[in-house]
């Protein structure tokens, strides 16, 4: 067998980018990471694509782009969003964006991962954040800040935010969009898209 | 984001604030003709009546059209032309109307009818206008406040205004629809969904025409005075903000005079950049040197500058070791208790020799501030805020940390700039800024008190003026 032949035939999966030394686990939330899936409401479904622009897990934040297409043909909009990771810096209790504890509880409880381990800790407010960091799940809130795309005909509201649960092992994201003026519990479901190369480069 | 939550109306009529002015959203239940029935959240109208009724039945929308739309448009879809297809669409001026008269028949009423395709302009006799329409057709009616006309469309095609020109603008126009035979059914779209007719494009075209009219307005340009005026305005702006090089270059090429000598601009600019860098000590010293008496004449400004000087000093000094004594002294300064102050400062100078000079300086400043405040009866708050920084070991981590932001220097720089200019009998605000301010006020007043919607097309996109 010719050694050179291997180079053309094999499709090696890309090695996962290594994050900063003191980060306890390698996750798919790296700069340039893409996720694709859908956002569903009662009776309609839209295609969604998310690109993480900058993930800084040490400072418990990230930012990225969210593109939504549909349900009708002529609706396509992209927004810039900022995410905060629930942990030492940001608690499960949102305490902003017009949200009270009851709304927080109702949304976080919809994630099986949350219900299993953390319900009691949430109520007593003595959450074991170290255990949370070591678990397979990352809980976040994503808030859209402004629109990037040039959509003059329609003016889609992004006044709310998403409750997010990301599973490190599968790269799957589940989310719920919340805004008091919108239909409740619109779901977001995304899967990581493995790419051969990333559009974002970091100088080492 | 929520794809089901699209605010199409807000993008069409950006100057209409939903909170204070409502747009027509549905048909008005209580004033409708008895032969009509409304359904589908009052968007669909059907002629029911009994088999013998021959009267027309009209219904109007629930709110009048605000002229600040500039131009307004709505559509109806004929879902069923019923027995005779005797359907009319149009506008009525005034909330009160005869509900058994088709749009266009009465005074101040304008309509387009589907059975004969005729236009009715406050008259029971119609004139030829457009095609007849029936089941499945989408008919639209719009009013252009700036160009004083009413127009109609059919299935996305612009039919024009026909006889509906020179309409006096008013804030009282209501969309209306009239039916007359069994089974006629129409559904309205007041903008919650996309229109069949490209109304956004119509708005853009109208906007361009109105703006072109403004641009063509004659301005006196004898001996190039218009150009020179504009050049002076720009030059004045550059001078105000201290861009001496640019101002000089413009003055030279435009052959106008600088309102302030170039060296003065430069020295003022140098002074302000010291302030913006945080070097308040030098900035204050130089201000006193170049503009003697300025600070004495502006005690409030002087006080604010000294508070800033205090804050900058605290942020530069490591005060952690002297905290308890400083806190005592701080409390004393605020309350004016002389004994406590002396005790506090002497306790410090005994304990920590290296940091004495800085901390002494802080005390001295604190005393100066206190004196200044008391002498001129100034507000305690900025002083109390500044002093409170001493209470924290790590001021940058405290709730008062925003005081340490370098951004806080900017309003002070602007205030000092204006004070210096005023003291030299220069305008404290650049002429260009005054002119823009005036323009913004005019637009605002016009939009509130005028039914002439042209303002809408000019004012849009000028939110930055405010």
């Amino acid at each position: 067998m010719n050694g050179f032949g291997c180079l053309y035939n094999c499709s090696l999966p890309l090695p996962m980018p290594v994050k900063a030394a003191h980060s306890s686990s390698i996750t798919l939330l790296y700069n340039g990471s893409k996720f694709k899936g859908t956002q569903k409401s009662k009776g309609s479904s839209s295609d969604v694509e998310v690109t993480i622009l900058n993930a800084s897990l040490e400072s418990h934040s990230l930012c990225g782009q969210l593109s939504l297409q549909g349900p009708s043909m002529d609706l396509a909009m992209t927004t810039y969003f900022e995410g905060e990771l629930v942990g030492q810096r940001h608690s499960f209790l949102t305490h902003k964006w017009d949200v009270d504890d009851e709304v927080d509880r109702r949304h976080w409880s919809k994630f099986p991962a949350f219900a299993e381990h953390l319900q009691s800790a949430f109520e007593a407010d003595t959450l074991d954040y170290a255990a949370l960091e070591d678990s397979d799940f990352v809980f976040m809130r994503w808030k859209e800040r402004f629109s990037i795309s040039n959509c003059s005909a329609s003016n889609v509201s992004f006044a709310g935010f998403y409750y997010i649960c990301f599973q490190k092992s599968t790269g799957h994201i589940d989310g719920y969009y919340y805004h008091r003026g919108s239909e409740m519990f619109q779901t977001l479901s995304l899967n990581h898209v493995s790419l051969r190369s990333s559009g974002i480069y970091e100088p080492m | 984001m929520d794809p089901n939550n699209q605010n199409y109306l807000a993008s069409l009529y950006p100057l209409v604030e939903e909170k204070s002015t409502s747009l027509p959203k549905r048909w008005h239940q209580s004033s409708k003709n008895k032969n009509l029935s409304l359904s589908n959240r009052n968007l669909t109208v059907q002629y029911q009546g009994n088999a013998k009724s021959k009267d027309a039945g009209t219904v109007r929308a629930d709110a009048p059209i605000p002229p600040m739309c500039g131009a307004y448009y709505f559509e109806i879809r004929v879902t069923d032309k019923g027995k005779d297809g005797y359907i009319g669409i149009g506008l009525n001026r005034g909330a009160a109307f005869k509900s058994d008269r088709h749009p266009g028949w009465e005074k101040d009423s304008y309509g387009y009818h589907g059975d004969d395709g005729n236009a009715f302009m406050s008259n029971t006799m119609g004139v030829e206008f457009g095609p007849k329409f029936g089941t499945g057709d989408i008919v639209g009616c719009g009013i252009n406040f700036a160009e004083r006309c009413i127009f109609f469309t059919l299935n996305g095609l612009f039919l024009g205004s026909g006889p509906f020109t020179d309409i006096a603008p008013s804030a009282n126009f209501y969309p209306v629809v009239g039916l007359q035979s069994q089974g006629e059914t129409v559904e309205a779209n007041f903008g919650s969904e996309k229109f069949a007719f490209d109304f956004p494009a119509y708005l853009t075209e109208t906007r361009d025409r109105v703006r072109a009219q403004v641009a063509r307005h004659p301005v006196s340009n004898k001996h190039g005075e218009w150009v020179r005026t504009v050049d002076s305005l720009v030059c004045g702006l550059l001078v105000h903000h201290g861009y001496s090089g640019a101002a000089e270059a413009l003055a030279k090429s435009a052959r106008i005079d600088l309102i302030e000598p170039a060296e003065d601009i430069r020295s003022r600019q140098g002074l302000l950049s010291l302030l913006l860098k945080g070097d308040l000590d030098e900035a204050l010293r130089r201000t006193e040197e170049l503009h003697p008496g300025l600070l004495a004449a502006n005690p409030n400004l002087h006080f604010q500058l000294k508070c800033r000087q205090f804050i900058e000093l605290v942020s530069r000094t490591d005060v952690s070791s002297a905290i308890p004594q400083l806190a005592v002294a701080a409390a004393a300064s605020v309350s004016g208790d002389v004994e406590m102050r002396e005790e506090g400062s002497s306790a410090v100078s005994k304990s920590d020799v290296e940091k004495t000079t800085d901390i002494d300086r802080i005390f001295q400043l604190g005393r100066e501030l206190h004196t200044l405040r008391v002498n001129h009866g100034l507000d305690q708050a900025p002083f109390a805020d500044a002093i409170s920084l001493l209470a924290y070991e790590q001021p940058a981590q405290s709730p008062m940390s925003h005081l340490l932001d370098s951004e806080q220097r900017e309003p002070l720089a602007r205030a000092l700039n204006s004070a210096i200019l005023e003291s030299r009998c220069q305008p404290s605000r650049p002429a260009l800024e005054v002119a823009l301010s005036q323009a913004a006020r005019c637009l605002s007043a016009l939009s509130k008190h005028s039914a002439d919607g042209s303002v809408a097309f000019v004012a849009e996109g000028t939110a930055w003026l405010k």
Side-chain angles (χ1 to χ4, degrees):
Chain A
M1 194 172 335
N2 189 343
F4 279 74
C6 291
L7 279 174
Y8 297 100
N9 290 333
C10 59
S11 29
L12 293 167
L14 264 190
M16 285 296 112
V18 179
K19 288 304 293 176
H22 65 272
S23 160
S24 59
S25 55
I26 297 161
T27 79
L28 291 169
L29 293 178
Y30 56 85
N31 297 359
S33 171
K34 270 194 183 5
F35 295 83
K36 256 189 160 115
T38 55
Q39 176 168 328
K40 291 198 166 95
S41 63
K42 289 197 193 84
S44 71
S45 165
S46 315
D47 293 325
V48 175
E49 188 179 295
V50 165
T51 308
I52 306 289
L53 294 171
N54 194 336
S56 173
L57 304 181
E58 305 78 41
S59 63
H60 296 86
S61 68
L62 56 78
C63 65
Q65 255 174 235
L66 190 149
S67 294
L68 188 144
Q69 176 132 35
S72 62
M73 270 312 291
D74 49 302
L75 169 57
M77 192 151 135
T78 306
T79 52
Y80 165 84
F81 71 90
E82 282 170 349
E84 38 185 53
L85 277 60
V86 174
Q88 289 283 22
R89 189 168 288 197
H90 309 284
S91 103
F92 278 105
L93 297 170
T94 309
H95 286 156
K96 58 186 172 216
W97 304 329
D98 227 5
V99 169
D100 60 33
D101 296 358
E102 188 48 44
V103 172
D104 279 333
R105 185 199 310 273
R106 265 196 290 163
H107 282 84
W108 291 125
S109 306
K110 285 185 91 77
F111 297 117
F114 177 84
E116 277 166 36
H117 310 289
L118 304 165
Q119 185 124 24
S120 51
F122 181 39
E123 274 155 19
D125 205 25
T126 51
L127 192 56
D128 186 356
Y129 287 110
L132 178 57
E133 253 191 54
D134 286 336
S135 85
D136 193 24
F137 295 94
V138 180
F139 295 97
M140 299 181 260
R141 277 180 290 262
W142 287 358
K143 177 85 182 82
E144 292 160 289
R145 294 290 174 194
F146 50 82
S147 141
I148 300 176
S149 66
N150 218 343
C151 209
S152 52
S154 55
N155 211 327
V156 176
S157 157
F158 50 86
F161 66 99
Y162 291 90
Y163 287 88
I164 297 284
C165 176
F166 165 72
Q167 186 171 22
K168 295 177 193 166
S169 53
T170 61
H172 180 78
I173 293 180
D174 273 318
Y176 293 96
Y177 178 74
Y178 172 75
H179 182 243
R180 60 178 155 70
S182 289
E183 185 193 308
M184 285 285 271
F185 303 123
Q186 291 187 50
T187 59
L188 190 66
S189 173
L190 308 169
N191 289 304
H192 177 74
V193 178
S194 59
L195 300 167
R196 289 173 169 276
S197 64
S198 163
I200 294 178
Y201 293 88
E202 267 182 34
M204 295 303 277
Chain B
M1 59 182 107
D2 184 1
N4 303 319
N5 196 347
Q6 288 189 62
N7 203 345
Y8 193 38
L9 285 173
S11 58
L12 284 178
Y13 314 120
L15 288 165
V16 175
E17 277 161 69
E18 268 303 305
K19 286 179 285 227
S20 45
T21 325
S22 12
L23 287 163
K25 293 261 171 60
R26 307 171 193 295
W27 298 118
H28 191 230
Q29 176 84 28
S30 21
S31 63
K32 71 169 177 60
N33 183 277
K34 60 184 189 316
N35 290 323
L36 300 175
S37 78
L38 299 180
S39 59
N40 185 20
R41 287 154 79 220
N42 287 2
L43 285 174
T44 304
V45 201
Q46 187 178 50
Y47 190 92
Q48 285 191 324
N50 54 45
K52 292 213 197 78
S53 50
K54 293 218 176 78
D55 293 337
T58 313
V59 64
R60 66 160 171 83
D62 58 356
I65 302 167
M68 277 319 285
C69 290
Y72 178 84
Y73 178 75
F74 72 102
E75 280 180 348
I76 58 164
R77 174 200 292 273
V78 181
T79 42
D80 193 340
K81 89 181 232 281
K83 192 156 148 300
D84 297 322
Y86 210 162
I87 301 170
I89 176 181
L91 300 169
N92 270 7
R93 195 202 303 258
F97 65 105
K98 296 208 179 108
S99 73
D100 58 351
R101 309 287 286 161
H102 260 293
W105 284 354
E106 290 295 298
K107 185 166 167 309
D108 286 336
S109 184
Y110 310 89
Y112 167 39
H113 293 193
D115 62 315
D116 52 15
N118 284 350
F120 293 79
M121 187 129 149
S122 306
N123 203 322
T124 48
M125 293 283 290
V127 296
E128 260 182 51
F129 174 63
K132 303 182 197 173
F133 57 83
T135 310
D137 286 326
I138 300 179
V139 198
C141 171
I143 174 165
N144 186 331
F145 289 98
E147 298 179 328
R148 300 158 64 100
C149 64
I150 294 174
F151 62 91
F152 292 90
T153 71
L154 179 58
N155 295 327
L157 282 177
F158 187 64
L159 296 176
S161 306
F164 301 110
T165 53
D166 207 20
I167 310 284
S170 138
N172 226 357
F173 278 108
Y174 286 83
V176 285
V177 78
L179 307 175
Q180 198 162 359
S181 71
Q182 282 290 333
E184 284 168 10
T185 315
V186 301
E187 245 171 59
N189 177 5
F190 289 109
S192 55
E193 280 157 34
K194 227 168 111 140
F195 294 123
F197 168 63
D198 193 351
F199 183 54
Y202 178 84
L203 279 174
T204 310
E205 282 161 25
T206 310
R207 183 177 314 132
D208 291 342
R209 281 196 298 269
V210 172
R211 289 195 172 176
Q213 226 183 344
V214 172
R216 277 197 303 270
H217 188 85
V219 165
S220 153
N221 200 11
K222 266 197 319 227
H223 311 302
E225 80 187 9
W226 173 246
V227 176
R228 239 201 329 280
T229 309
V230 174
D231 284 338
S232 305
L233 285 175
V234 175
C235 195
L237 187 71
L238 291 170
V239 166
H240 180 92
H241 290 291
Y243 297 107
S244 56
E248 277 182 293
L250 176 58
K252 201 162 123 189
S253 81
R255 282 195 271 269
I256 52 179
D257 295 317
L258 276 181
I259 53 175
E260 197 187 348
E263 323 83 65
D264 285 358
I265 307 176
R266 272 194 287 276
S267 87
R268 186 161 50 83
Q269 218 263 332
L271 183 47
L272 292 173
S273 59
L274 279 174
L275 209 175
L276 287 169
K277 265 203 315 252
D279 189 353
L280 267 290
D281 296 331
E282 183 56 29
L284 280 164
R285 189 199 65 76
R286 206 187 283 189
T287 306
E288 202 48 51
E289 181 190 314
L290 294 172
H291 309 280
L294 175 77
L295 293 174
N298 290 287
N300 207 354
L301 177 61
H302 190 192
F303 182 61
Q304 305 235 9
L305 286 168
K306 284 206 100 58
C307 283
R308 189 77 218 159
Q309 188 184 20
F310 185 87
I311 293 172
E312 299 288 348
L313 183 55
V314 167
S315 72
R316 276 203 304 273
T317 314
D318 177 13
V319 296
S320 47
S321 59
I323 285 295
Q325 295 90 335
L326 276 176
V328 167
S333 295
V334 175
S335 62
D337 188 331
V338 178
E339 263 182 36
M340 275 178 85
R341 261 216 314 274
E342 298 297 338
E343 180 190 305
S345 62
S346 62
V348 168
S349 37
K350 277 184 211 143
S351 60
D352 210 333
V353 181
E354 304 91 61
K355 299 188 176 131
T356 304
T357 39
D358 274 345
I359 296 193
D360 262 355
R361 185 97 182 78
I362 291 182
F363 276 110
Q364 187 195 344
L365 255 183
R367 281 194 279 271
E368 280 172 31
L369 269 172
H370 180 74
T371 316
L372 198 56
R373 188 184 72 76
V374 166
N375 285 351
H376 295 278
L378 298 168
D379 184 23
Q380 161 117 305
F383 181 47
D385 283 348
I387 288 277
S388 69
L389 276 174
L390 291 175
Y392 303 96
E393 249 185 59
Q394 300 275 8
Q397 247 70 296
S398 71
M400 298 307 278
S401 61
H402 61 272
L403 286 176
L404 299 170
D405 259 342
S406 53
E407 274 174 19
Q408 297 274 334
R409 301 172 193 150
E410 282 166 41
L412 275 179
R414 278 200 296 273
L416 181 58
N417 195 23
S418 292
I420 295 176
L421 285 168
E422 237 173 47
S423 77
R424 292 185 158 289
C425 299
Q426 300 284 355
S428 63
R429 276 173 86 198
L432 186 56
E433 199 182 300
V434 176
L436 287 174
S437 220
Q438 161 78 350
R441 285 279 177 84
C442 274
L443 284 176
S444 173
L446 276 175
S447 63
K448 283 198 185 61
H449 299 124
S450 148
D452 179 341
S454 339
V455 184
F457 291 111
V458 175
E460 193 194 321
T462 54
W464 55 271
L465 273 179
K466 301 186 192 108

